Amino acid sequence: MASTLPPGDPAPADGTLPPEAVAGLGSRPFGVYVHVPFCATRCGYCDFNTYTAGELGTSASPQSWLEALRRELDLAARVLGSAPPASTVFVGGGTPSLLGADGLASVLDAVRGAFGLTSAAEVTTEANPESTSPEFFAEILRAGYTRVSLGAQSVAPHVLRILDRKHTPGRPVAAAGEARAAGFEHLNLDLIYGTPGERPDDLQASLDAVLDAGVDHVSAYALIIEEGTAIERRIRRGELPSTDDDVLAERYEQVDSVLSTSGFRWYEVSNWAASVAARCQHNLNYWRGGDWWGAGPGAHSHVGGVRWWNVKHPARYAATLAEGRSPAAAREILSEEDRRVERVLLELRLAEGLPLGVLDESGVAEAKVAVSDGLLSQSAFDAGRAVLTDEGRLLADGIVRRLLP
Amino acid sequence: MATFADTTFTPPERIRNFCIIAHIDHGKSTLADRMLQLTGVVEERAMRAQYLDRMDIERERGITIKAQNVRLPWVVDDEEIVLHMIDTPGHVDFTYEVSRALEACEGAILLVDAAQGIEAQTLANLYLALENNLAIIPVLNKIDLPAADPEKYSRELAHIIGCEPEDVLRVSAKTGEGVRELLDAVVRQVPPPVGEDNAPARAMIFDSVYDTYRGVVTYIRVVDGRITPRERIRMMSTGAVHELLEVGIISPEPKPSAGLGVGEVGYLITGVKDVRQSKVGDTVTSERKGATEPLAGYREPRPMVYSGLYPLDGSDYPDLREALDKLRLNDAALTYEPETSAALGFGFRCGFLGLLHLEITRDRLEREFGLELISTAPNVVYRVVTDDGTETTVTNPSDWVDGKIMEVYEPIVKTTVICPSEFIGTVMELCQARRGQLGGMDYLSEDRVELRYTMPLAEIIFDFFDSLKSRTRGYASLDYEEAGEQTANLVKVDILLQGEPVDAFSAIVHRDAAYTYGTRMATKLRELIPRQQFEVPIQAAIGSRVIARETIRAMRKDVLAKCYGGDITRKRKLLEKQKEGKKRMKMVGRVEVPQEAFVAALSTDETGDKPKGKK
C-alpha cells in the first residue's frame, strides 16, 4: 500500500455505506485486512504507511493502535450489519511480527469477535524474519494463523545493503524452516529484483535460497523507485544507477523460468504458487472484485463498488475512532464503467484471465490483435477469455490500455 | 500641432519623398522616431519608442513588416518643405513591397550601423534604389557607441556608392545628434517629384492595411493629376471601381484632406474589406476620364514557399480557418487551401513569400489566436513535366508523381552574402554544399567581402541561414532574390513507419542529398518515438527503394509489479490519465506517435533571417 492517498469524495462520519453496496454482502467472499503501521527501521525503498518508534514518539503506541483497531472493527460490524464471517484475514504492514505472537493473537481475536471466521479461513500475517523465532511461529499457529509471508528480498549482501534491509542473509530461509517445523503448510517468501547493482547471479542465488527454504508461494517484485524514498534520492543524485526496464524484463524472465521449472506456476503477474491450494485467497479476493474491510491507519476497503481509505497517521486514526467517528479519509462510489475498467485491469493480471464478455466490441477486436502480436493466448481467446502469454505478462498495463476505450 | 504640411496640393518643388534603407537592427525606427520629434509632428510627451512600428511582433522582433509613411514639415533656408518619409519593410521576403516603396521615392537614406558596416540585405536594397535612380544619402548611425568605427565604415560606404568618405553623414538616432543636418541634406540632395498636374490621375499603391474600423487603408503616391474625395476610383489591374470615402495624409495619425496632388503621399479609404482589392504596385485612377496606361512595375504577389499548417488539437481546425481568414484581410500574399494529412489530420496548405513570412504568420496564429500548430517542412514550388508532356506545378510533396517524371524545374535565387574575409572559405564550402554557383566576389573593404551565388531556393529555406550564421560566428548577412528556375535531379523521399508512409515527413530533395535526409529523419524519429509493444521499423525510401532504415525496438516491460487492495484506485486513475495522454497521440497505422515527436522532427531549425529581438 503506497503512502499517499488518492483524491476522493468525503466519507460520512458514521462510516455508513449506501444500501446497494451492502446488499450483496455474503454473495461474494469477504476478507479483512489489518494494517500494522510499525517498523523497527525504515527501509530505503519503502514508501508504505509505516512508522518507526522514533517517528511516532508518544503520539501512538502499539497499545493505542490495538485499541483503535478494536473500535474500527466494532464500527465495521455495525456498518455492515449482518456481515458474513471472514473467509480471509491478512495482517500486513509495516511489520506485524513486531507486535509479537501475543499481539497478533489479540488482532485475530478482535477480527473473530467482530465478524467470525469461516471454518477454512485463510489467515495470513506478514513477518520480518528478524523478529521471528520457533516459539513465535508455534504461538501464532495456535492462535489461528494459517499462513506466513516472510520478507526475504534478496540473499546478496550488497543488494540488501542498498535496500537497507538489516537481516543476515541466511535468516529468511531459516525462518521459513522454523515456520514449517512449527506446522505452517503455507509459506510465502517475498523477493525484490532489479535493485541497482544486482547481477543475474545475485538473483539466481536468491531464487536458489527460496527453493531451498521449501515455501509453497513466492511473490517477486521489480523494485519500484517511489518518489520521496531514500533510494530515489540516491538515484537522483547519481549515487546509484537507475533501473532499466529492459533489465527488469530479463530479471522477470529469469524468475519465471527458475520458478516454473521448480514446480511453481504463476497465477498473478508477480505471484507464483506450488499448488492451487497455495495461492493467496486474500489477494485473489482483491483481484476478483470481492469485498473486504481494511482496518488500520491508511488501510483501503472495498464493499460492493464503494472504495474508501482511512486517515494515514496512527495518532489521527486513533483519535478519530476515540471520538466515535469513522477513520475514513475519503471514498469513491464506482460507476458501472469504473467497475468494468477495474475488472479489466485487475483480472487481466491473473493467469485465469478475463472473460471476453467484459470487453466492448472494439476491446474484443483489440484483444484479437494482441493475440496476433503474441501477447494474449490464442487458445484462451478461442475459449472466450483474455489471458496473458509469457511475453504479454510484461506488457500487461499497455494491453489494458488497448482493451479499454 | 497644426503646421503648413497639413494642407495638401503642395507644389511638387516643395516636396521631397524619401525612404530609409537599413538593416533590421541598424536603427531605422529610432531615426524615424527622432524625425517625428524634430519636425514637431509628435510631441515629446506622446513619443512612444518606435512610433511607426505598430504590431507587437514587429516590436518584438525589431523588424518592420508593413510599411508606414508619414508627412513631415521642415523648413530650410526659410523655405517650407513637405517631407514624405516612407518606411520600407526590412526583410528579404518583402523585396517586392520594398521595390514599390522605393518607386514612391526620389531619394533614400542609406542608414548603416557605424559599428557593423553594411549588411547583405541593405546592399541588395541599395542596388534596387540605384536601379530606380534614387538619390542616395549615406549615413552612419550609432556614432555614440564605443564600438563605432566611423572612419572604416565611411570608407566602405564611399567605396560601395562611389562617393567620398567625407560625404558620409554621421548621426546618432538615439541622442538626436546629426539628425537636423540629415533632414537638411534630404531637402538639398533629393530631387523634387515630377508629374503632370493636368493629366488623368495616376497614383501607385505601395501598401495597404486592413483596419477593423475603417476597412482597407490604401497608401498611395500620386504621380500625375489629383485624387480627391467623393469621386470614384478605378484599380487599373482589375478594373474594379470603388467609392472614395476618404483621402488623407498621415502625420503621424491619419488626417483627412482635400485630396492629394502630384508627388504627394497619403492614404485613401474605399470601404473594401480585403487588401486583395488594393494590391501593392497597382495604379489607382479616376473612374471618369481616367488614365489608360497604368504605371509600370505591377506584379501579382506570388507565394514562394509552401508549408502545411495543422492544429495540434484536431478540434481547433475551424478556429484555424477563421484565424487564417482574418489574417488574410491584411496580408495579400498569404494563400491557403484545406489539406488532409493521414498523419496530422485536417489542416491547410499555406503559401508564403518566404520563410520569415511563414514564421511571422505562424507566430501570429499562435499568439493572437491562441492556436497550437504543427507546420510541415517548408518546400518551394516545382514545375514538373511528365513523359506525356503534361506540365504540373507541385507545391506539396504528396502531389509528386513518381516514375513518370521527365523534367523538374526548381526556383533559383541570386544570393548575396557579406562576411568578414576570414570566413570566405567556410562560406564557399557551405554554398557549394548547397548546390550554389559562384557568381562573383568583391571586397567591400580590406576585411569584408561580398560573395554572390546562384542557388536553389529550396536550399536556402532549409536551415541555410542558421548554418551560415553559426559558421561565421554570426557575422555573415544574407540576401537573395528570385532568379528564374533551373532543371534539377530531384526525388521525393518518403518516411515509412512500419511500412506506412507518413505524408508529413515526405520531402523533395536533390538526389545527392536524399540519403542524408533519409538517415537524419530516421535517426531523429527513432529517438523521438517511444517504444511500442511491437518492433517498429523506420524506413526512408525513394519510391519503393529503401535508402535508410532504423528500428525502434519493442518495449520489453510495461507492467506495475504490485497491485493490491490499496493500489487499485490509484491504478485506475493512472489509467484514465494515460488514456487522456493517448488521445493526444497521432496514430500512424498502429504506431502511437506523440505530437511532440512531429513538432521536433519537423523543426529543421531553418529560420531565415529572423532576429530574436533588438539590442
Side-chain angles (χ1 to χ4, degrees):
Chain A
M1 175 182 45
S3 75
T4 44
L5 297 176
D9 305 324
D14 60 3
T16 46
L17 291 166
E20 58 276 19
V22 185
L25 267 174
S27 64
R28 299 173 293 263
F30 176 66
V32 176
Y33 173 77
V34 175
H35 188 72
V36 183
F38 308 113
C39 278
T41 57
R42 177 172 282 272
C43 303
Y45 63 92
C46 175
D47 82 326
F48 286 6
N49 187 32
T50 180
Y51 305 83
T52 61
E55 286 168 345
L56 285 175
T58 54
S59 71
S61 66
Q63 201 48 51
S64 60
W65 167 79
L66 187 58
E67 205 172 301
L69 179 74
R70 287 200 182 100
R71 288 203 166 105
E72 186 183 358
L73 291 171
D74 284 349
L75 175 110
R78 265 202 318 278
V79 166
L80 297 182
S82 53
S87 52
T88 67
V89 178
F90 196 105
V91 183
T95 311
S97 49
L98 275 186
L99 296 175
D102 287 352
L104 284 175
S106 306
V107 168
L108 188 54
D109 283 344
V111 173
R112 213 181 264 124
F115 306 110
L117 299 178
T118 60
S119 57
E122 174 196 270
V123 183
T124 307
T125 182
E126 291 181 343
N128 180 346
E130 294 296 308
S131 54
T132 59
S133 63
E135 297 74 38
F136 169 85
F137 289 119
E139 283 175 41
I140 61 169
L141 185 74
R142 207 173 312 126
Y145 287 86
T146 64
R147 188 171 179 273
V148 177
S149 173
L150 292 160
Q153 324 313 354
S154 173
V155 298
H158 67 102
V159 171
L160 289 171
R161 213 162 29 244
I162 286 168
L163 296 175
D164 282 345
R165 295 297 292 205
K166 300 291 182 236
H167 57 240
T168 32
R171 183 57 204 152
V173 175
E178 291 164 12
R180 227 179 35 236
F184 275 101
E185 248 184 278
H186 300 306
L187 288 169
N188 169 60
L189 274 175
D190 273 350
L191 282 182
I192 290 178
Y193 60 87
T195 303
E198 180 199 61
R199 296 178 302 258
D201 318 357
D202 298 328
L203 180 55
Q204 188 59 50
S206 300
L207 288 164
D208 289 345
V210 164
L211 294 173
D212 278 353
V215 296
D216 64 350
H217 190 284
V218 178
S219 302
Y221 307 112
L223 178 66
I224 302 172
I225 306 298
E226 300 283 1
E227 199 113 347
T229 57
I231 202 164
E232 187 257 345
R233 286 190 292 277
R234 294 179 65 190
I235 289 174
R236 188 152 31 88
R237 286 196 296 258
E239 294 165 21
L240 291 176
S242 59
T243 50
D244 175 89
D245 276 351
D246 286 8
V247 171
L248 292 179
E250 275 164 35
R251 299 280 190 275
Y252 181 88
E253 285 165 358
Q254 188 183 350
V255 170
D256 188 53
S257 133
V258 170
L259 293 177
S260 302
T261 50
S262 309
F264 286 83
R265 292 190 60 186
W266 76 284
Y267 70 101
E268 193 263 357
V269 167
S270 300
N271 288 280
W272 288 260
S275 66
V276 173
R279 293 176 180 175
C280 179
Q281 295 304 315
H282 183 82
N283 287 341
L284 279 169
N285 192 36
Y286 293 150
W287 299 322
R288 289 171 177 160
D291 296 326
W292 80 88
W293 190 286
H300 287 241
S301 303
H302 171 254
V303 173
V306 182
R307 294 192 184 281
W308 71 95
W309 42 90
N310 288 348
V311 295
K312 268 177 62 186
H313 200 276
R316 209 175 135 216
Y317 168 75
T320 312
L321 281 158
E323 288 164 19
R325 287 186 290 122
S326 155
R331 74 174 187 186
E332 55 175 1
I333 297 173
L334 303 174
S335 66
E336 276 304 308
E337 179 61 9
D338 287 340
R339 295 179 79 165
R340 187 178 83 88
V341 167
E342 288 191 351
R343 280 197 72 179
V344 175
L345 74 86
L346 294 170
E347 291 178 29
L348 195 71
R349 290 174 67 94
L350 297 174
E352 65 202 33
L354 167 81
L356 290 175
V358 177
L359 300 175
D360 61 15
E361 204 175 314
S362 74
V364 174
E366 278 293 335
K368 204 166 180 178
V369 179
V371 168
S372 66
D373 288 339
L375 303 178
L376 291 180
S377 146
Q378 176 74 62
S379 54
F381 184 86
D382 294 341
R385 298 187 79 82
V387 173
L388 298 170
T389 60
D390 292 355
E391 212 188 338
R393 265 188 271 164
L394 279 164
L395 298 171
D397 290 0
I399 299 169
V400 167
R401 290 196 291 277
R402 284 165 65 177
L403 299 186
L404 289 169
Chain B
M1 187 178 69
T3 73
F4 64 85
D6 293 345
T7 321
T8 53
F9 300 121
T10 305
E13 57 273 19
R14 290 205 288 113
I15 295 174
R16 302 291 184 276
N17 295 330
F18 72 100
C19 61
I20 305 172
I21 295 174
H23 193 62
I24 37 189
D25 55 359
H26 284 198
K28 179 172 65 175
S29 301
T30 314
L31 179 62
D33 289 349
R34 213 54 61 223
M35 289 177 168
L36 293 185
Q37 247 175 315
L38 276 178
T39 55
V41 299
V42 175
E43 286 173 45
E44 197 103 20
R45 253 177 320 117
M47 195 69 213
R48 179 159 54 103
Q50 294 182 24
Y51 197 93
L52 296 179
D53 282 357
R54 296 198 174 169
M55 283 157 59
D56 282 349
I57 290 176
E58 290 185 355
R59 297 173 79 83
E60 222 163 85
R61 295 188 176 221
I63 52 171
T64 314
I65 299 162
K66 279 290 185 181
Q68 303 285 336
N69 68 91
V70 65
R71 184 171 166 115
L72 307 168
W74 192 243
V75 178
V76 180
D77 302 333
D78 294 331
E79 194 182 6
E80 291 181 337
I81 301 290
V82 167
L83 300 174
H84 290 122
M85 175 171 62
I86 292 168
D87 193 11
T88 54
H91 187 268
V92 60
D93 286 355
F94 301 96
T95 307
Y96 177 67
E97 294 191 30
V98 173
S99 80
R100 293 306 87 196
L102 294 177
E103 183 74 31
C105 305
E106 280 75 30
I109 293 174
L110 175 65
L111 187 71
V112 172
D113 187 322
Q116 293 185 54
I118 198 163
E119 307 279 1
Q121 282 156 34
T122 320
L123 193 62
N125 286 343
L126 170 66
Y127 292 149
L128 211 53
L130 289 170
E131 278 169 35
N132 282 9
N133 291 317
L134 265 55
I136 306 295
I137 305 174
V139 179
L140 287 178
N141 188 19
K142 305 191 188 182
I143 55 165
D144 55 309
L145 287 185
D149 189 351
E151 301 303 323
K152 174 182 173 186
Y153 293 114
S154 294
R155 283 198 303 278
E156 187 178 284
L157 284 187
H159 171 78
I160 294 167
I161 303 170
C163 63
E164 296 302 318
E166 300 75 56
D167 297 336
V168 178
L169 299 182
R170 297 177 183 187
V171 306
S172 166
K174 201 171 119 197
T175 66
E177 185 185 346
V179 178
R180 272 174 197 288
E181 293 75 4
L182 172 57
L183 285 168
D184 290 350
V186 168
V187 175
R188 295 201 178 101
Q189 295 180 33
V190 176
V194 180
E196 291 289 329
D197 187 29
N198 297 321
R202 286 201 301 177
M204 184 196 59
I205 299 175
F206 62 89
D207 195 11
S208 61
V209 177
Y210 176 78
D211 179 283
T212 323
Y213 302 104
R214 319 236 32 204
V216 173
V217 179
T218 303
Y219 294 97
I220 54 163
R221 147 79 195 259
V222 179
V223 176
D224 295 321
R226 292 179 171 214
I227 299 282
T228 51
R230 278 196 287 278
E231 68 175 326
R232 282 143 71 97
I233 53 158
R234 188 166 70 233
M235 302 295 180
M236 294 190 72
S237 74
T238 58
V241 172
H242 301 290
E243 295 288 339
L244 203 48
L245 305 179
E246 187 175 313
V247 178
I249 54 166
I250 308 279
S251 72
E253 302 300 335
K255 288 180 189 168
S257 74
L260 295 169
V262 171
E264 282 184 313
V265 171
Y267 69 91
L268 52 84
I269 292 172
T270 60
V272 303
K273 297 285 182 204
D274 183 344
V275 289
R276 277 164 186 70
Q277 291 173 292
S278 267
K279 295 174 181 170
V280 171
D282 200 355
T283 303
V284 178
T285 191
S286 340
E287 189 204 6
R288 287 169 11 139
K289 295 186 201 157
T292 48
E293 277 297 305
L295 298 160
Y298 172 70
R299 197 180 85 182
E300 289 279 336
R302 187 155 51 90
M304 299 287 286
V305 173
Y306 283 81
S307 170
L309 290 184
Y310 291 85
L312 211 54
D313 179 346
S315 64
D316 284 345
Y317 176 75
D319 296 344
L320 176 57
R321 174 192 291 278
E322 204 172 300
L324 284 168
D325 287 347
K326 276 190 186 145
L327 283 189
R328 189 176 192 269
L329 291 177
N330 207 4
D331 187 345
L334 175 66
T335 64
Y336 52 92
E337 55 183 61
E339 166 180 75
T340 315
S341 153
L344 301 176
F346 291 107
F348 291 93
R349 192 79 194 160
C350 303
F352 305 95
L353 292 174
L355 216 51
L356 182 85
H357 189 209
L358 187 165
E359 296 261 340
I360 288 169
T361 306
R362 215 197 117 122
D363 246 35
R364 294 188 62 187
L365 288 169
E366 296 200 319
R367 195 178 317 200
E368 294 170 30
F369 299 91
L371 295 161
E372 282 185 287
L373 299 173
I374 297 179
S375 51
T376 63
N379 61 267
V380 300
V381 181
Y382 299 98
R383 195 158 66 84
V384 176
V385 182
T386 43
D387 51 12
D388 57 358
T390 329
E391 191 180 302
T392 48
T393 302
V394 173
T395 59
N396 187 338
S398 62
D399 297 336
W400 193 260
V401 267
D402 265 321
K404 302 181 201 132
I405 293 169
M406 206 161 66
E407 213 128 56
V408 181
Y409 297 88
E410 63 172 347
I412 51 171
V413 288
K414 273 192 194 152
T415 309
T416 309
V417 175
I418 294 179
C419 66
S421 47
E422 57 180 300
F423 297 116
I424 292 176
T426 343
V427 172
M428 285 184 149
E429 214 175 288
L430 175 66
C431 292
Q432 263 148 27
R434 301 303 181 90
R435 299 190 283 138
Q437 297 286 326
L438 183 62
M441 180 174 108
D442 281 310
Y443 276 85
L444 300 176
S445 57
E446 60 271 25
D447 58 356
R448 296 221 313 153
V449 67
E450 174 197 352
L451 290 153
R452 290 184 300 277
Y453 273 88
T454 303
M455 290 174 74
L457 177 61
E459 298 285 348
I460 300 258
I461 64 169
F462 201 75
D463 81 357
F464 178 76
F465 188 66
D466 278 353
S467 306
L468 183 66
K469 280 284 185 193
S470 66
R471 283 172 199 220
T472 58
R473 295 205 305 272
Y475 281 114
S477 62
L478 166 75
D479 187 78
Y480 57 85
E481 57 176 311
E482 296 171 59
E485 57 177 19
Q486 68 180 19
T487 55
N489 189 359
L490 301 174
V491 291
K492 182 172 82 152
V493 179
D494 290 317
I495 305 293
L496 298 85
L497 283 185
Q498 251 206 343
E500 191 97 22
V502 188
D503 52 8
F505 295 144
S506 294
I508 295 164
V509 295
H510 192 262
R511 190 175 290 277
D512 295 345
Y515 175 75
T516 315
Y517 175 80
T519 313
R520 216 194 46 182
M521 280 304 273
T523 313
K524 228 175 176 179
L525 289 172
R526 192 197 58 204
E527 280 154 22
L528 290 167
I529 298 173
R531 292 163 71 180
Q532 316 273 317
Q533 292 194 341
F534 38 86
E535 187 177 285
V536 179
I538 307 170
Q539 294 161 309
I542 301 171
S544 57
R545 191 166 60 87
V546 174
I547 56 169
R549 187 194 157 102
E550 290 281 350
T551 303
I552 305 170
R553 285 181 306 137
M555 184 194 289
R556 293 281 316 275
K557 176 183 172 289
D558 180 12
V559 62
L560 276 185
K562 288 196 181 190
C563 188
Y564 293 103
D567 305 314
I568 296 168
T569 298
R570 183 187 322 277
K571 178 105 177 100
R572 198 186 68 247
K573 289 189 188 295
L574 176 68
L575 181 69
E576 283 161 11
K577 219 162 111 186
Q578 289 170 330
K579 284 279 181 190
E580 269 317 298
K582 193 174 166 177
K583 283 187 192 137
R584 286 181 63 87
M585 296 275 187
K586 302 271 186 193
M587 298 301 295
V588 175
R590 291 182 62 205
V591 184
E592 291 175 9
V593 184
Q595 283 161 337
E596 302 74 60
F598 275 100
V599 176
L602 290 169
S603 79
T604 35
D605 300 321
E606 78 284 80
T607 45
D609 196 348
K610 188 181 71 171
K612 292 293 182 196
K614 219 165 187 177
K615 300 188 258 236

